[in-house]
Amino acid sequence: MGGMGTLALGLEYPEEWAALMMAVGFKVGADDDFSALKDVPFMLGVSEADSTYENYPDLTERLNKAGIKWDERFYDEETFLWTTPHFAWIPFYGDDEVLEWLFAQKK
């Protein structure tokens, strides 16, 4: 599941998650209320070369306004083995530091 699906599930069921890890596709709805996620840390994986990157500043602004702790990983175009930088989840989910962060999260 990509970033939009992760965000949709996080917003719908905020009490279920120890953390959210989102790779690309960060489209945020104008009415999305992030306040219920204030205790859920986020890890974001993105490539600035990805066409969905234009949504990234809006997401990070909303996370900051809600007081959510978040971290990020940027991947440059040379990181990708595939034909598009939209496949940021490949290096993101294979990043040992990201996985260490994820498995350290507890509810």
Side-chain angles (χ1 to χ4, degrees), residues 33-96:
D33 180 7
F34 283 65
S35 62
L37 291 169
K38 68 178 178 54
D39 296 323
V40 179
F42 277 65
M43 177 65 77
L44 310 173
V46 66
S47 168
E48 289 180 333
D50 185 348
S51 62
T52 66
Y53 179 77
E54 66 189 33
N55 302 312
Y56 188 72
D58 185 38
L59 172 65
T60 56
E61 180 180 332
R62 299 282 289 279
L63 294 175
N64 287 334
K65 283 184 179 178
I68 295 170
K69 293 179 186 177
W70 60 276
D71 199 352
E72 63 194 354
R73 293 294 183 272
F74 281 96
Y75 302 99
D76 60 31
E77 287 186 77
E78 288 75 38
T79 305
F80 301 97
L81 302 175
W82 300 90
T83 58
T84 173
H86 185 68
F87 287 9
W89 59 80
I90 294 171
F92 186 51
Y93 295 139
D95 186 322
D96 289 339

